[in-house]
Amino acid sequence: SEDLPEWKNWGTLFKYGLLTFLVGLGYLIIPLIIIGLGVAAEYPHVAILEYVGVTLDIIGGICLLGAIFFFPMGILLFAIDDEFSSAFSFFHVIDTVFKHIGLYLRAFVVIIIMGFILGLLSAIPFVGWIISVFVGFYLMLESALLLGDVGQSIVERLKGVEAAEAAEPVATPAE
């Protein structure tokens, strides 16, 4: 297993961290607005509004699950292309996920399991809360490293495809 990269160039790391936060905000804003509207509609306790609210909550929850699933690939494409807009090229994000679904799903499931274990640990009063802060930070770094490996594999596959396309002879029309 690889070690985490060294922490150098704090200004650059801060810039990319801020941009990554903005990507996350961009992915989550619509589902959270839908859920917020659903909760607000349920508050007056009027029967028809409660049905609308629950429906909005369900739709928002489905959107939230989709955002959580596709967000890491958006970050990977942002890192690969070094273009902020790449994270929001949704058709490209979805296409890349499904082209590399086995690799991506494996990493995603490992991250979900690590999060579940962290959640169990943080359920222990006091001691679990303190330990989960440090374990959570470590798991966040390991998740980033795992997704970085996925991104590296995607880049290597893309380079292999480009090399194969460049090696194919181009047919010329007969004279």
Side-chain angles (χ1 to χ4, degrees), residues 7 15-16 21-22 29 42 47 49 68 84 90 104 112 122 129 132-133 138 142 174:
W7 291 54
K15 179 184 92 170
Y16 282 112
F21 169 77
L22 292 175
I29 194 75
E42 294 168 12
L49 287 179
I68 290 169
F84 184 71
F90 296 116
Y104 184 71
I112 294 295
S122 67
W129 300 339
S132 68
V133 170
Y138 177 76
E142 286 298 323

Side-chain angles (χ1 to χ4, degrees), residues 20-31:
T20 300
F21 169 77
L22 292 175
V23 170
L25 188 62
Y27 270 74
L28 294 177
I29 194 75
I30 292 174

Side-chain angles (χ1 to χ4, degrees), residues 8-153:
K8 298 179 187 175
N9 302 324
W10 284 82
T12 304
L13 291 175
F14 179 78
K15 179 184 92 170
Y16 282 112
L18 182 62
L19 290 173
T20 300
F21 169 77
L22 292 175
V23 170
L25 188 62
Y27 270 74
L28 294 177
I29 194 75
I30 292 174
L32 293 179
I33 287 173
I34 294 171
I35 291 170
L37 290 172
V39 170
E42 294 168 12
Y43 180 69
H45 301 295
V46 176
I48 189 70
L49 287 179
E50 286 184 359
Y51 290 121
V52 171
V54 169
T55 303
L56 286 173
D57 288 342
I58 292 170
I59 292 169
I62 292 169
C63 291
L64 184 64
L65 290 174
I68 290 169
F69 183 72
F70 290 109
F71 167 70
M73 184 56 74
I75 294 298
L76 283 175
L77 292 177
F78 166 48
I80 290 169
D81 298 339
D82 200 25
E83 289 286 331
F84 184 71
S85 62
S86 293
F88 296 104
S89 178
F90 296 116
F91 292 117
H92 184 51
V93 169
I94 292 168
D95 183 52
T96 307
V97 165
F98 287 110
K99 280 184 180 175
H100 307 282
I101 192 71
L103 185 65
Y104 184 71
L105 205 53
R106 251 191 323 264
F108 191 77
V109 167
V110 168
I111 292 169
I112 294 295
I113 291 170
M114 289 189 312
F116 180 75
I117 292 169
L118 180 63
L120 291 176
L121 180 64
S122 67
I124 302 169
F126 304 113
V127 175
W129 300 339
I130 294 169
I131 292 172
S132 68
V133 170
F134 299 103
V135 172
F137 180 74
Y138 177 76
L139 291 180
M140 181 181 63
L141 295 176
E142 286 298 323
S143 297
L145 185 63
L146 183 61
L147 288 172
D149 290 343
V150 170
Q152 185 176 8
S153 296

